[in-house]
Amino acid sequence: MNTKKTIVVVGATGAQGGGLVRAILNDPDHEFNVRAITRDVSSDKAKELVKLGAEVVAGDVDDAESLKKAFKGAYGAFCVTFFWNHFSPEKELANARAMAEASRHAGIKHVIWSTLDDTRKWIPLSDNRMPTLMGKYKVPHFDAKGEANNIFTNLGLPVTLFNTSFYWDNFIYFGLGPKKGADGKLAITMPMGDKKLPGIAAADIGKCALGIFKAGQKYIGKTVGIAGEHLTGEQMASGFSRVLGKEVVYNSIEPAVYRSFGFPGAEDMGNMFQFKRDFEKEYCESRDLGLSRTLNPALLTFNEWLNKNKDLIKTD
Ligand SMILES: NC(=O)c1ccc[n+]([C@@H]2O[C@H](COP(=O)([O-])OP(=O)(O)OC[C@H]3O[C@@H](n4cnc5c(N)ncnc54)[C@H](OP(=O)(O)O)[C@@H]3O)[C@@H](O)[C@H]2O)c1
């Protein structure tokens, strides 16, 4: 009989959840079973997870009853929301509540809530150094996640608040990679000045989450922040130059210029970078590299991530 504990994973066909599903399946200790949640059990990505050995079940964070069913009987739950699919902080809050309530209903023994900082604790809405967005947020996709921390803790859940970092994969999949400027030079553009940005290989987030589950009680009731490295724009540009074999420069601009770029979410991202720039010390300190490596000894450095992904980085 299979008596292993089950971890139920939201976002299992995506970056964070997918990393955790694979980490659990590849764990040499085979400590947990994994139950992957998807909205479409017949998709290619869902079928791939079945092939890898996951149990795959239907669930939708917009459908509280589906979560209750999917969470039933599990020991652990990994909970994440999908801001960039809908751009709605209110939806994130509702989705977080549905996952928290499903966790309570199922008697989950360890919840990991993938969250980010509520930047309004540092920059209240009255602080005009950056604009208030959507009426009551500074960095909507951060603030709602941070606000949702209370939903998990107020329900008395055995939760680890899991502060993630900027995925380096954004340089491939989120349009942030090196681009040719008017001068013909390749550049990465971020409003970070000379400050360090905590970043991580997206797949390492799930590996760190597995480390938290494997530590048993240790991180329950705690906040754990993770990153692979804290790097300046210059340091990242020089990594790109090395791996691509052509010069990539760092183009540091003002946050207001970034906010004006006009792509969906540009204002949110401009405020996000400004927050990370202006609170570099606190933000980096909250994402401890030593702890991240303890949780996940295979944690990639930026250069290791670049070497692995160089063929996917487009420069034209
Ligand atoms: N990009 C970054 O640098 C970064 C850094 C830190 C935090 N984050 C946060 O990460 C979150 C997104 O996580 P991710 O990058 O792992 O997402 P992702 O790669 O976009 O994957 C999302 C997966 O979740 C599933 N999904 C979407 N809507 C769903 C719903 N209503 N119910 C259930 N499942 C749903 C989809 O699977 P199916 O289609 O199979 O259902 C999809 O494969 C965002 O909130 C973002 O703010 C991003």
Side-chain angles (χ1 to χ4, degrees):
M1 203 176 92
N2 183 346
T3 54
K4 284 192 282 183
K5 295 170 179 166
T6 295
I7 309 274
V8 61
V9 179
V10 176
T13 58
Q16 296 193 29
L20 175 57
V21 170
R22 283 168 178 75
I24 293 172
L25 294 171
N26 295 331
D27 176 15
D29 301 329
H30 305 292
E31 197 169 331
F32 300 109
N33 292 319
V34 62
R35 185 182 300 158
I37 295 187
T38 172
R39 290 165 302 173
D40 178 6
V41 294
S42 64
S43 73
D44 289 347
K45 284 185 176 174
K47 285 184 191 149
E48 191 189 327
L49 295 182
V50 173
K51 250 195 218 153
L52 291 174
E55 175 191 2
V56 175
V57 302
D60 188 324
V61 295
D62 291 324
D63 174 355
E65 287 308 309
S66 75
L67 293 178
K68 282 188 185 160
K69 261 193 224 152
F71 280 34
K72 208 173 163 189
Y75 156 84
F78 180 81
C79 300
V80 57
T81 45
F82 311 104
F83 182 85
W84 301 108
N85 289 13
H86 49 66
F87 296 86
S88 164
E90 278 70 33
K91 207 183 221 312
E92 283 200 290
L93 283 161
N95 292 161
R97 180 167 296 285
M99 289 186 281
E101 282 173 354
S103 299
R104 187 176 62 169
H105 191 258
I108 299 288
K109 300 289 188 295
H110 190 174
V111 181
I112 296 182
W113 163 231
S114 176
T115 186
L116 290 167
D117 314 68
D118 186 340
T119 65
R120 297 166 297 184
K121 288 184 190 156
W122 288 269
I123 313 169
L125 297 185
S126 58
D127 187 329
N128 289 328
R129 88 184 85 173
M130 63 175 69
T132 293
L133 303 176
M134 300 180 182
K136 51 180 177 176
Y137 302 100
K138 287 299 188 185
V139 183
H141 80 283
F142 268 55
D143 298 346
K145 290 183 182 73
E147 189 175 323
N149 292 352
N150 292 330
I151 299 175
F152 288 88
T153 52
N154 291 347
L155 282 176
L157 290 167
V159 65
T160 303
L161 302 175
F162 188 45
N163 276 322
T164 60
S165 288
F166 176 90
Y167 311 168
W168 292 321
D169 308 66
N170 293 335
F171 291 124
I172 302 171
Y173 304 110
F174 209 73
L176 301 188
K179 287 194 195 51
K180 257 190 196 143
D183 58 2
K185 274 196 182 160
L186 284 171
I188 52 168
T189 298
M190 282 181 296
M192 287 293 296
D194 61 358
K195 304 299 188 211
K196 289 183 173 169
L197 175 69
I200 193 162
D204 275 335
I205 295 175
K207 292 181 185 172
C208 290
L210 175 60
I212 292 173
F213 280 126
K214 288 183 73 147
Q217 294 291 310
K218 187 164 180 185
Y219 298 108
I220 291 178
K222 304 260 167 32
T223 299
V224 174
I226 56 159
E229 278 194 275
H230 304 153
L231 297 171
T232 62
E234 294 284 357
Q235 288 172 318
M236 288 186 268
S238 87
F240 277 113
S241 302
R242 181 190 58 76
V243 81
L244 296 174
K246 42 189 164 187
E247 190 189 12
V248 176
V249 298
Y250 167 50
N251 180 24
S252 177
I253 56 172
E254 282 304 312
V257 175
Y258 201 96
R259 283 191 284 270
S260 74
F261 278 168
F263 63 82
E267 290 181 301
D268 190 331
M269 298 258 301
N271 281 6
M272 175 196 78
F273 282 122
Q274 185 175 345
F275 167 69
K276 293 177 183 181
R277 182 195 72 177
D278 293 354
F279 295 89
E280 181 204 29
K281 185 169 178 291
E282 295 89 331
Y283 192 73
C284 286
E285 278 175 5
S286 69
R287 277 133 175 100
D288 186 81
L289 304 180
L291 172 59
S292 307
R293 194 165 289 286
T294 302
L295 294 169
N296 167 23
L299 189 76
L300 295 182
T301 63
F302 184 58
N303 276 327
E304 287 166 345
W305 176 85
L306 281 171
N307 289 343
K308 262 189 133 168
N309 291 281
K310 58 175 181 279
D311 295 338
L312 297 171
I313 298 162
K314 300 275 173 291
T315 57
D316 41 36

